[in-house]
Amino acid sequence: MGPNDNPSIHNIDLSDLLLFGIPKKGRLNEQVMTLLAGADIKFHRKNRIDIALSTNHPIALVFLPAADIPQFVADGNVDIGITGQDMVAEAGVNVEELMSLGFGKCRLCVQTPVDSPYRSAKDLVGKRIATSFTSLVREYFKALDVQVAKEAGLTTIEKSTIVQFLSGSVEASCALGLADGIVDLVESGETMHAAKLHAIETVLTTEAVLICNPTKHINNPLIEKIRRRIEGVITAQRFVLCTYNVPRTKLANAIKITPGKKSPSISSLDTDGWVAVSVMVLKSKSADVMDELAEIGAQDILITEIKNARMN
Ligand SMILES: Nc1ncnc2c1ncn2[C@@H]1O[C@H](COP(=O)(O)OP(=O)(O)OP(=O)(O)O)[C@@H](O)[C@H]1O
Ligand SMILES: O=P(O)(O)OC[C@H]1O[C@H](OP(=O)(O)OP(=O)(O)O)[C@H](O)[C@@H]1O
């Protein structure tokens, strides 16, 4: 019986509520909390209780380990959730990816000690690998085991690669003599370099995603409402509003610099031959855009933060 069939957990009535799986701790937790606040999904969480009712939507937030969220969503124990694409791939379950969220970006990499002879994943065939992603890594090395045997003209695998599960501190396992290589997440590379490891291959790239049970999305307006709100927050985080005045003769050049998400809004100015332009630009490009606009003769160029956005 899943929470959906169970009217009450911790004396909280869950019937008729949309259940939303949220990473309870770790790397994704803080950014998901910011996302919920931006989407105006308010809730009250009692101390140490992993289910919190939203105070302004018919939603219950269920705080779960990021690794468990894909299974909960696939089995319908929660309706939607946020986790990493790596977790979805590792769980190997059928969920619908509603949108990627632009944070939690990293790579799952095969890593070896910098002073070891292992320079490619193939060099680790038949050796010992430590990882928290045993399902993905077994699949990855099984294919390599077969490939290496074939290349050697063998019909059977001589010695399969051994994949050992570790729940954390995976980067320490080579130095401790537990493994010859590891497969772990890399973002800045700080953890890897501190452990005197280097990445020799990328198994997958990942970021945080909003996922949904495939049978729950259709005909559920609340899921669509949440998706749109989250999309609005993410758009607002990625874009800024750029406004400027430009001579009408330069407008075509200006539009090339700032084409906007769809097209810029243009209005006439009292000053003859000038127009005012208002357009969204990528935050990461805004300084370059300002330089380019100034070069073609635009004036009064302003960049304004966007608090929220709803695009079609
Ligand atoms: N260094 C990182 N940079 C960006 N995203 C990361 C990083 N490490 C992990 N992630 C993402 O966050 C997800 C959760 O990772 P995390 O290490 O927080 O796991 P956890 O098991 O939930 O927490 P904990 O390690 O505290 O038990 C990962 O599956 C990945 O998608
Ligand atoms: O390349 P970096 O920026 O150093 O990030 C990579 C590290 O981040 C994650 O661990 P985290 O710090 O979340 O802790 P954990 O080992 O307890 O999961 C991951 O497991 C790596 O160890």
Side-chain angles (χ1 to χ4, degrees):
M1 183 187 280
N4 267 341
D5 313 314
N6 189 346
S8 153
I9 290 178
H10 301 307
N11 293 324
I12 298 173
D13 185 4
L14 298 176
S15 45
D16 301 328
L17 295 179
L18 185 87
L19 302 184
F20 192 168
I22 303 291
K24 65 187 287 182
K25 61 184 179 72
R27 291 275 183 159
L28 302 181
N29 174 268
E30 204 178 312
Q31 275 157 303
V32 174
M33 290 301 123
T34 307
L35 205 56
L36 294 179
D40 195 32
I41 299 171
K42 297 194 172 92
F43 62 94
H44 176 65
R45 186 180 180 189
K46 282 195 196 146
N47 202 16
R48 299 195 58 76
I49 294 209
D50 282 340
I51 296 182
L53 293 185
S54 167
T55 52
N56 59 346
H57 298 279
I59 297 174
L61 302 175
V62 186
F63 292 87
L64 297 165
D68 293 345
I69 289 176
Q71 191 72 56
F72 272 75
V73 172
D75 292 348
N77 299 104
V78 298
D79 303 306
I80 57 172
I82 293 178
T83 188
Q85 287 168 319
D86 53 337
M87 296 300 190
V88 176
E90 172 65 13
V93 291
N94 180 26
V95 295
E96 187 184 343
E97 192 177 303
L98 294 182
M99 64 186 298
S100 39
L101 302 174
F103 58 85
K105 286 186 178 179
C106 51
R107 297 179 298 140
L108 183 64
C109 293
V110 183
Q111 302 166 37
T112 52
V114 284
D115 59 3
S116 75
Y118 312 122
R119 290 284 177 268
S120 77
K122 260 192 192 176
D123 296 339
L124 286 168
V125 161
K127 306 283 187 301
R128 301 159 307 156
I129 313 290
T131 187
S132 304
F133 296 84
T134 47
S135 167
L136 283 172
V137 174
R138 285 207 175 103
E139 197 183 322
Y140 185 84
F141 276 97
K142 200 171 171 193
L144 280 181
D145 285 352
V146 172
Q147 191 188 332
V148 167
K150 255 193 196 161
E151 283 168 7
L154 302 169
T155 47
T156 52
I157 295 160
E158 258 190 333
K159 197 175 169 214
S160 299
T161 310
I162 299 160
V163 178
Q164 158 128 29
F165 174 77
L166 288 182
S167 62
S169 303
V170 179
E171 67 279 1
S173 45
C174 292
L176 295 173
L178 193 79
D180 303 296
I182 67 164
V183 178
D184 200 11
L185 296 170
V186 179
E187 186 208 10
S188 64
E190 242 175 78
T191 309
M192 176 173 74
H193 294 137
K196 297 202 163 48
L197 300 169
H198 63 169
I200 56 170
E201 235 132 293
T202 297
V203 177
L204 58 79
T205 56
T206 174
E207 70 178 281
V209 279
L210 178 66
I211 56 171
C212 174
N213 180 288
T215 60
K216 304 273 174 95
H217 189 191
I218 304 149
N219 298 332
N220 191 328
L222 185 53
I223 293 180
E224 193 49 26
K225 184 173 173 178
I226 291 168
R227 192 193 66 75
R228 279 174 164 270
R229 282 194 178 205
I230 290 178
E231 189 177 49
V233 179
I234 287 165
T235 305
Q237 285 168 353
R238 288 182 61 217
F239 287 88
V240 286
L241 187 69
C242 177
T243 55
Y244 55 90
N245 299 333
V246 70
R248 195 176 283 280
T249 52
K250 300 284 182 196
L251 184 58
N253 293 358
I255 291 175
K256 272 191 200 141
I257 300 167
T258 59
K261 278 204 91 182
K262 262 197 201 142
S263 60
S265 304
I266 298 156
S267 44
S268 299
L269 283 178
D270 282 345
T271 321
D272 250 4
W274 283 72
V275 289
V277 181
S278 170
V279 63
M280 285 168 74
V281 300
L282 277 172
K283 197 181 270 181
S284 57
K285 298 262 159 52
S286 61
D288 288 342
V289 164
M290 288 178 94
D291 290 344
E292 288 174 40
L293 288 173
E295 267 168 38
I296 63 153
Q299 292 181 1
D300 305 322
I301 308 162
L302 300 177
I303 294 287
T304 318
E305 293 279 342
I306 300 169
K307 277 213 137 175
N308 210 329
R310 208 55 60 87
M311 319 292 293
N312 283 324

